Amino acid sequence: GENVEQHPSTLSVQEGDSAVIKCTYSDSASNYFPWYKQELGKGPQLIIDIRSNVGEKKDQRIAVTLNKTAKHFSLHITETQPEDSAVYFCAATYSGAGSYQLTFGKGTKLSVIP
Amino acid sequence: DVKVTQSSRYLVKRTGEKVFLECVQDMDHENMFWYRQDPGLGLRLIYFSYDVKMKEKGDIPEGYSVSREKKERFSLILESASTNQTSMYLCASNVGGLAGERGYFGPGTRLTVT
């Protein structure tokens, strides 16, 4: 089955700096890679996702890059703000099966210091 | 907006009790999932369902069962709760089918078994 490794487990940045979280996956058949943000006391919320036919996707201050050859993908947050503080999860799945069981990384706790 | 609701935010049960966790989604999604979230372990899939009355085991199904009698409702059942089932339980759903991978989570139920 799929295995997703996520690094780092904790990350502290100064407000305004960039943050990068990296994930690797094991199953070359995986072709859908979402990122979730979980704020304290809430369920995970999808913030951005990418399919394997795309190398990069941006949405305002967040971007995701995918390297299929190396089997890794990364989340980039620019101009970080205190409200970006949360736990971030990456995930991977093969979207041809219909059920889309996601395999998650163990999460990164991001702290943005004002 | 997709809405996934869970019946309880916090639940305290005694060892040996039968526990029901309910999840409802309002967007006619085909697939529904139950995850367990523990510190340092990320999100692990317990069971999922791709249709009414259909269920599939995830990575950690032992000690759990599920029920999906209606499309919008997916229940997780702990037949005889044990202390090692103390955890955060998250329900999720997605459309399924072609390009229907995007998953939406409920707020979670924090279960304590004493």
Side-chain angles (χ1 to χ4, degrees), chain A residues 84-96:
Chain A
D84 294 328
S85 296
V87 179
Y88 291 81
F89 292 96
C90 63
T93 190
Y94 169 59
S95 69

Side-chain angles (χ1 to χ4, degrees), chain B residues 10-21 63-65 76-86 89 111-114:
Chain B
Y10 301 94
L11 212 51
V12 180
K13 295 292 182 181
R14 293 195 180 274
T15 301
E17 279 192 83
K18 190 169 186 176
V19 182
F20 293 86
L21 303 182
Y64 304 94
S65 62
L76 180 70
I77 304 156
L78 288 65
E79 295 290 342
S80 177
S82 64
T83 54
N84 62 11
Q85 292 179 309
T86 292
Y89 290 88
L111 172 67
T112 301
V113 182
T114 61

Side-chain angles (χ1 to χ4, degrees), chain A residues 47-60:
Chain A
I47 56 171
I48 194 167
D49 54 9
I50 191 168
R51 293 187 174 87
S52 59
N53 58 348
V54 175
E56 183 176 2
K57 185 176 179 181
K58 287 184 180 179
D59 183 2
Q60 299 182 336

Side-chain angles (χ1 to χ4, degrees), chain B residues 7-52:
Chain B
S7 51
S8 304
R9 293 300 305 273
Y10 301 94
L11 212 51
V12 180
K13 295 292 182 181
R14 293 195 180 274
T15 301
E17 279 192 83
K18 190 169 186 176
V19 182
F20 293 86
L21 303 182
E22 303 283 336
C23 175
V24 177
Q25 49 92 5
D26 67 356
M27 286 301 291
D28 201 35
H29 283 178
E30 298 292 331
N31 301 327
M32 297 187 73
F33 307 82
W34 275 106
Y35 291 89
R36 171 176 171 161
Q37 183 177 18
D38 299 288
L41 297 178
L43 282 76
R44 294 178 292 167
L45 182 64
I46 304 172
Y47 267 98
F48 70 98
S49 169
Y50 54 89
D51 201 353
V52 174

